[in-house]
Amino acid sequence: MTIAWESAGGSDVGRLRKGNEDTLRMDPERGIFLVADGMGGHAAGEVASEIAASTAEGILGDALAAGVAGEGIDRALVLAFQQAYEAIVQYCRANPHTRGMGTTLTVCVIDPSGTARIGHIGDSRVYRLRDGTLHQLTHDHTWVQCEVEAGRLSLEAARAHPLSHILTRVLSEDVEPTVDLHTIDLRPGDLLLLATDGLYNMIDDDAIEAMLGSGQPLTQLTHQLIDAANAAGGSDNVTVVLVGITPAPVKRAAE
Ligand code: CA
């Protein structure tokens, strides 16, 4: 099925942090959407997420402009993460005070044929709302997620755990990236949400599902999600990108 889409997104520093280390990119024309959540002292987190976002956007934009499609997009995603990693390594070598900086990177490339290809490292997330039900599409690379899967921690306890921020995989100079790749189908009516942990650590999936299911315009939903995270404490930067899938416009035959 051929699809089209509309999008909206926003990022907020939250109520406790001094700077915003999150980054987002939306390129609706080419169907590239991403969020990155940086970490590191002396504002290095901002640098890390910005380097990752701009590198990935550039590589994927070039690939799509060159006609890359289908499984070729997976290869472009892996290349994008590899190049982002190398750009971070280079920056850290040139600026030793930023050593140790890192970032999550979660990228979604949407194809008009009705698929989304996702590349992912870290604990930012992609969700899909379909028929009113929210489903998390990405796997958190966190210590608490490993504990949940091993049956040693409940989901509720994981959210409140003091070590919930410890990542098992992140884009940094320490290790070459291993990227999770997912391909999902999309149909009109689906709503994709890309979010950093500043959203889902503040409000639970049921609340997110209820908001996304309200049928409000995407710009309004963006504000509502960010406001809800801040109302619940806003202890972290919060970033959301929403992509609403619509039917492709019917092409009229030339008269
Ligand atoms: Ca965060």
Side-chain angles (χ1 to χ4, degrees):
M1 175 183 284
T2 314
I3 57 164
W5 50 85
E6 52 182 12
S7 59
S11 186
D12 190 78
V13 67
R15 295 177 62 188
L16 298 181
R17 300 284 178 93
K18 287 199 171 69
N20 191 346
E21 299 183 316
D22 287 358
T23 300
L24 70 90
R25 288 288 197 285
M26 296 188 290
D27 182 347
E29 200 163 311
R30 288 184 284 196
I32 303 168
F33 302 92
L34 67 85
V35 296
D37 178 350
M39 56 216 69
H42 307 288
E46 283 173 53
V47 175
S49 63
E50 180 57 35
I51 289 175
S54 57
T55 305
E57 187 184 35
I59 299 279
L60 291 162
D62 289 349
L64 294 173
V68 168
E71 287 174 7
I73 293 174
D74 285 346
R75 289 190 285 277
L77 280 166
V78 170
L79 179 67
F81 278 75
Q82 184 66 30
Q83 298 275 314
Y85 159 75
E86 283 167 18
I88 287 171
V89 169
Q90 263 184 4
Y91 189 92
C92 287
R93 283 185 188 153
N95 303 275
H97 67 284
T98 64
R99 289 209 108 132
M101 74 178 187
T103 185
T104 73
L105 181 61
T106 301
V107 188
C108 210
V109 180
I110 302 181
D111 188 273
S113 68
T115 56
R117 289 178 185 265
I118 297 166
H120 165 68
I121 286 183
D123 68 346
S124 302
R125 289 180 179 173
V126 183
Y127 294 90
R128 179 179 62 196
L129 183 86
R130 173 173 283 177
D131 300 330
T133 302
L134 192 70
H135 182 62
Q136 184 182 332
L137 302 173
T138 48
H139 175 92
D140 297 342
H141 299 139
T142 57
W143 177 81
V144 290
Q145 181 62 33
C146 294
E147 292 298 292
V148 168
E149 284 163 15
R152 290 191 287 264
L153 210 58
S154 72
L155 269 179
E156 267 314 296
R159 286 184 72 224
H161 201 282
L163 297 179
S164 65
H165 62 286
I166 301 292
L167 297 180
T168 51
R169 253 199 266 170
V170 65
L171 206 50
S172 76
E173 68 168 332
D174 297 335
V175 59
E176 295 237 359
T178 307
V179 189
D180 282 359
L181 295 172
H182 308 272
T183 302
I184 57 147
D185 74 294
L186 292 172
R187 59 188 196 217
D190 286 347
L191 185 54
L192 288 181
L193 165 66
L194 284 72
T196 58
D197 65 337
L199 178 75
Y200 67 77
N201 281 335
M202 290 292 116
I203 54 173
D204 64 23
D205 285 4
D206 288 346
I208 295 172
E209 182 181 85
M211 259 181 252
L212 295 185
S214 67
Q216 302 201 55
L218 298 189
T219 310
Q220 209 161 316
L221 284 177
T222 299
H223 293 309
Q224 276 183 7
L225 289 166
I226 290 171
D227 290 350
N230 283 332
S235 65
D236 196 0
N237 308 143
V238 54
T239 299
V240 299
V241 170
L242 289 168
V243 188
I245 308 302
T246 61
V250 178
K251 283 197 185 99
R252 288 194 186 170
E255 287 176 12

